[in-house]
């Protein structure tokens, strides 16, 4: 039962209007509404009539009149010495108003389109449960060990992560130094710590790029299919931009098509290491073509490098940023290699753009939370991140092999087949035409198996059906169960065709 001190005020009552008179009735109505909204819970103790009368600056009789009226209605109950409470007989359910989305509720005035858009986004992005095959679920061997906690305790207790005033918008310098060194070694990114803006994951970095680099009426290339975290921003949050979907084939985004249909676009958003969601890298010739176009069109390239650390075979292509640091905004994240709830990533911006990113960042949330930045900086400086990446690469490689071979043995390849790829934390399972991937994803979730439908990531009306299967650190049994559920659903859907 919720506790409230006997002398507490009830701020949701607001002020009573003396000019309207009937203060007792006004107070009773305010209390009735508070119970209905759930601001006051069944069984919750109300202030004594004397205390409430004092805090509202009314005569005590006003409060007793209101209390007595509500007791008579069954909204409150009153017992000698036990005070006045919200009636326990109401039960929690009867007092909670169902929260309907604002756009569905009857509204006297038309709402801005943003309300419906952001409500839809909230549904689309609500996190999947931590069951197979949700992407990026670090458990068991893939969570950073005790060392993360130990560094955290040290840094928070007496180090630079201890409570302090506002910090720099760009992020902690020690962390930016570590990131600059890390991306140089691992991705051939050329930058100084001054060009790095620490963000709340790549998601915030994408939002910042859209806000800063685009103007009303600008065209923007996006891959088709693309990451919804990007297209949902462009659909609404930057008014007046023209999103131009560019088809993806075996070599990644088809740059020639982009040049044909929107040569003077202002920016191209790409996932060149590992096209999201399909998984192929952008070929070298396409990389060169993309950079050549950007120079000629004076356009930006936003390189979303969300999972390049998790490569299981061969050598990765160097980053696009390393090939032309003046044209490319490079985005990286710690969500995949550490854990998504950390919410730390970074944007590496061409010289001269740093200040704009800092300004936009300041308006959004001033700066990233300081303590975790210092924990991460120490984790990197002491060499733990490199070791951790080597370790989780092994774990995910094994999970990947396991999932691949189970799928191949459980589902005939004429009905479902895997997209070849040798990187990352997810696989694409293509499904034969005529089976709806959205229906499959919904039915799987009802049985405790999570998968995202590929068709929802296409801008064009695609009849390609497929599922994004995430590699989390799930147990053998969980993976076998997940494959079994998918196999039954796919075979069942096929037999009904
Ligand atoms: C292609 C792509 N970009 C960006 C992100 C966002 O990552 P975060 O905001 O967690 O850094 C993701 C997350 O899965 C992704 O798949």
């Amino acid at each position: 039962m919720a506790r409230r001190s006997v002398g507490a005020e009830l701020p949701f009552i607001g002020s009573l209007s003396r000019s309207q008179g009937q203060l007792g009735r006004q107070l009773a109505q305010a209390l009735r509404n508070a119970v209905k909204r759930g601001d006051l819970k069944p069984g919750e103790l109300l202030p004594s009539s004397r205390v409430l009368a004092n805090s509202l600056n009314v005569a005590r009789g006003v409060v007793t009149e209101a209390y007595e009226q509500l007791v008579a209605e069954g909204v409150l109950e009153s017992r000698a010495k036990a005070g006045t409470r919200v009636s326990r007989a109401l039960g929690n359910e009867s007092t909670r108003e169902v929260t309907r989305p604002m756009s569905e509720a009857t509204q006297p005035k038309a709402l801005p389109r943003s309300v419906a858009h952001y409500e839809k986004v909230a549904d689309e992005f609500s996190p999947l449960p931590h069951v197979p095959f949700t992407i990026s679920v670090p458990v068991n061997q893939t969570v950073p060990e005790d060392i993360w906690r130990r560094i955290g305790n040290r840094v928070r207790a007496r180090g630079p992560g201890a409570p302090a005033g506002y910090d720099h918008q760009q992020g902690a310098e020690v962390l930016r130094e570590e990131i600059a060194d890390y991306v140089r070694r691992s991705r051939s990114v050329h930058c100084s710590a001054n060009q790095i803006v620490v963000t709340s994951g790549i998601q915030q970095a994408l939002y910042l790029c859209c806000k800063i680099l685009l103007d009303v009426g600008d065209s923007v290339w996006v891959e088709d299919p693309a990451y919804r975290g990007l297209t949902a921003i462009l659909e609404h949050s930057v008014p007046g931009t023209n999103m131009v979907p560019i088809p993806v084939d075996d070599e990644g985004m088809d740059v020639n098509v982009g040049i044909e249909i929107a040569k003077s676009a202002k920016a191209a958003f790409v996932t060149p290491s590992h096209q999201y969601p399909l998984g192929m890298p952008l070929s070298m010739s396409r990389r060169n073509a993309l950079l050549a176009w950007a120079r000629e069109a004076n356009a930006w390239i936003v390189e979303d490098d969300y999972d390049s650390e998790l490569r299981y075979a061969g050598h990765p292509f160097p980053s696009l940023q390393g090939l032309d640091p003046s044209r490319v905004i490079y985005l990286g994240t710690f969500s995949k290699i550490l854990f998504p709830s950390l919410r730390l990533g970074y944007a590496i911006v061409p010289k001269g753009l740093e200040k704009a990113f800092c300004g936009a960042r300041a308006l959004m949330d001033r700066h990233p939370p300081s303590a975790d930045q210092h924990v991460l900086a120490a984790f990197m400086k002491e060499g733990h991140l490199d070791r951790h990446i080597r370790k989780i690469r092994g774990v995910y490689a094994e999970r990947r092999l396991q999932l691949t071979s189970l799928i191949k043995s459980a589902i005939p390849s004429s009905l479902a087949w895997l997209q070849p790829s040798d990187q990352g934390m997810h696989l694409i399972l293509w499904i034969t035409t005529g089976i709806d991937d959205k229906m499959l994803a919904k039915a799987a979730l009802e049985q405790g198996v999570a998968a995202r439908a590929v068709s929802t990531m296409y801008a064009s009306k695609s009849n390609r059906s497929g599922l994004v299967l995430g590699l989390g650190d799930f147990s053998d049994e969980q993976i076998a169960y997940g494959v079994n559920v998918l196999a039954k659903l796919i075979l069942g859907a096929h037999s009904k065709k």
Side-chain angles (χ1 to χ4, degrees), residues 60-352:
R60 191 170 174 186
V62 169
V63 179
T64 43
E65 179 196 329
Y67 279 7
E68 279 166 17
Q69 171 63 33
L70 293 175
V71 169
E73 289 174 17
V75 176
L76 302 182
E77 60 188 33
S78 180
R79 288 201 202 131
K81 296 204 180 134
T84 305
R85 296 176 183 274
V86 178
S87 172
R88 276 171 271 226
L90 289 175
N92 270 328
E93 287 312 311
S94 63
T95 59
R96 197 183 310 131
E97 280 195 338
V98 182
T99 329
R100 277 198 294 149
M102 185 63 105
S103 58
E104 279 177 24
T106 327
Q107 284 298 305
K109 282 185 251 149
L111 290 165
R113 281 197 308 124
S114 339
V115 172
H117 171 77
Y118 288 121
E119 282 174 357
K120 186 169 154 262
V121 168
D123 285 340
E124 258 187 275
F125 285 75
S126 61
L128 287 170
H130 289 184
V131 294
F133 301 103
T134 297
I135 299 181
S136 197
V137 180
V139 281
N140 303 324
Q141 303 172 75
T142 50
V143 281
E145 303 145 2
D146 279 359
I147 190 76
W148 180 264
R149 188 175 40 79
R150 283 208 301 276
I151 295 178
N153 290 346
R154 190 181 78 211
V155 164
R156 281 196 172 83
R158 45 180 199 282
Y166 287 121
D167 239 329
H168 200 284
Q169 299 140 351
Q170 208 166 342
E173 192 172 352
V174 275
L175 177 59
R176 289 186 283 114
E177 297 282 3
E178 288 303 322
I179 293 172
D181 183 53
Y182 167 71
V183 291
R184 178 186 53 75
R185 287 186 283 114
S186 61
R187 302 294 299 124
S188 306
V189 168
H190 299 303
C191 69
S192 71
N194 281 342
Q195 289 167 259
I196 298 180
V197 182
V198 179
T199 58
S200 173
I202 287 185
Q203 191 58 50
Q204 189 185 46
L206 287 170
Y207 198 82
L208 286 168
C209 287
C210 293
K211 281 283 179 204
I212 296 165
L213 304 178
L214 304 178
D215 249 330
V216 177
D218 283 348
S219 293
V220 190
W221 294 5
V222 294
E223 295 160 313
D224 191 19
Y227 178 53
R228 274 297 291 153
L230 168 67
T231 53
I233 299 173
L234 289 166
E235 269 169 13
H236 189 84
S237 309
V238 193
T241 49
N242 172 28
M243 182 161 53
V244 185
I246 311 291
V248 165
D249 62 19
D250 287 347
E251 290 186 61
M253 178 191 256
D254 192 335
V255 177
N256 281 338
V257 172
I259 294 171
E260 239 168 68
I261 59 179
K263 193 174 180 183
S264 54
K266 279 286 148 33
F269 285 78
V270 269
T271 47
S273 300
H274 189 225
Q275 202 280 330
Y276 190 87
L278 302 187
M280 64 288 288
L282 188 66
S283 69
M284 203 61 216
S285 61
R286 294 262 172 97
R287 282 167 193 253
N288 290 333
L290 183 63
L291 286 165
W293 162 76
R295 283 183 207 115
E296 202 188 317
N298 200 18
W300 302 107
I301 296 171
V302 180
E303 175 173 21
D304 176 351
D305 205 14
Y306 63 102
D307 71 359
S308 61
E309 292 90 349
L310 296 168
R311 192 167 176 86
Y312 307 109
H315 286 288
F317 286 107
S319 65
L320 280 173
Q321 195 273 1
L323 300 176
D324 193 342
S326 66
R327 283 276 140 227
V328 180
I329 293 96
Y330 177 91
L331 311 182
T333 181
F334 293 98
S335 288
K336 311 286 177 190
I337 48 175
L338 281 170
F339 49 98
S341 65
L342 181 60
R343 304 313 305 134
L344 281 176
Y346 45 93
I348 300 182
V349 306
K351 285 191 180 127

Side-chain angles (χ1 to χ4, degrees), residues 423-455:
Q423 185 176 313
M425 295 197 71
H426 70 271
L427 292 166
I428 295 286
L429 182 66
W430 289 117
I431 318 279
T432 187
T433 31
I435 299 182
D436 179 5
D437 53 5
K438 295 186 284 304
M439 179 279 293
L440 276 183
K442 187 163 175 275
L445 195 58
E446 280 160 13
Q447 298 184 49
V449 176
R452 293 226 187 252
V454 175
S455 62

